[in-house]
Amino acid sequence: MTSDQPIGALLREWRHRRGLSQLDLALQAEVSARHVSFVETGRTIPSSAMVLRLAEHLGVPLRERNRLLVAAGHAPVVRERPLQDPQLATARKVLERVLRGHEPYPALAVDRRWNLLSANTAIDVFLEGVDPALLRPPVNMMRLGLHPGGFAPRLLNLGQVRGFLLPRLARQVAHSGDAELSVLYEEVLSYGAPAEPPPPDPAEIALPIRIRHRGAELCFINTITTFGAAFDVTLEEIAVEAYFPADDATARFFGTGAAVTSP
């Protein structure tokens, strides 16, 4: 792993990204503002403990913490193993249990760049009729959902979904500083002119995903699950999206009876 910027420049970049002054960061990390200033200007090279301390208070993702350490001349401390690594076998089993346990409803796992890692058998709700070129690995679910050749044409509330996903992706870019995510954002932004999404229905409790599938109109709401205390870069970046029927018709489509409704 190499770093293309000195530690001071990287820390300053993260501090600006979080909207903090040097004094703000110093107070949060319980160090002097002078020390923060010296680190940022290169007059002081921080210890690995100090790098991790500042990174913690800046909310820097694990992957980027390793980059900060390398930039300061230290070894990375957070391991990054591929999901198929034998030491991640327990995590893989947990992931598969979550996905299979959600059937017959769709559930899928993606990495930090929205690339599909795994899914259950109900994923065909989103794959029906999409351009085969979009299914060549790695399958990117953000691209698949908003691309004209993906399942965007089957979304009955595409404007509402775009109006939610694009700002979410922009926040991810700002939070992570990931250049490839930034490229993905620019790409999906080009699929259609930005439009003001319609206001949510007061009766809705969450963003609905309304989609045509096999002649039916289905409606879902979704939840996102992450590993709560990951000590591995790969695990920290995995997100599981689980989709639930948002109306009785969708529940009946899957043969599960009536959906849960509010009193």
Side-chain angles (χ1 to χ4, degrees), residues 121-253:
T121 57
I123 189 68
D124 66 334
V125 167
F126 302 114
L127 303 186
E128 178 191 20
V130 304
D131 184 342
L134 295 175
L135 299 180
R136 295 183 189 132
V139 177
N140 188 277
M141 292 306 297
M142 182 67 74
R143 180 180 293 115
L144 197 67
L146 298 179
H147 195 284
F151 60 85
R154 292 191 291 120
L155 286 173
L156 303 174
N157 60 331
L158 177 59
Q160 192 177 22
V161 171
R162 272 179 57 87
F164 174 79
L165 288 182
L166 290 176
R168 175 180 170 184
L169 184 55
R171 288 192 298 271
Q172 276 187 270
V173 171
H175 178 78
S176 67
D178 190 313
E180 288 194 32
L181 265 183
S182 180
V183 171
L184 177 64
Y185 174 73
E186 294 300 326
E187 177 189 333
V188 296
L189 195 63
S190 72
Y191 294 161
E196 190 69 28
D201 186 326
E204 291 172 351
I205 59 171
L207 174 73
I209 294 90
R210 305 183 189 279
I211 188 170
R212 292 189 185 90
H213 178 61
R214 296 181 182 175
E217 294 186 3
L218 306 181
C219 184
F220 299 99
I221 57 174
N222 74 324
T223 63
I224 298 174
T225 303
T226 59
F227 285 90
F231 298 130
D232 182 279
V233 171
T234 297
L235 292 189
E236 186 197 44
E237 295 173 346
I238 291 175
V240 176
E241 296 217 4
Y243 293 80
F244 295 84
D247 57 28
D248 294 346
T250 302
R252 287 193 297 270
F253 178 89

Side-chain angles (χ1 to χ4, degrees), residues 31-51:
V31 298
S32 71
R34 179 186 177 90
H35 186 65
V36 172
S37 175
F38 276 22
V39 169
E40 289 191 359
T41 58
R43 295 179 66 181
T44 296
I45 300 299
S47 66
S48 59
M50 180 57 66
V51 171

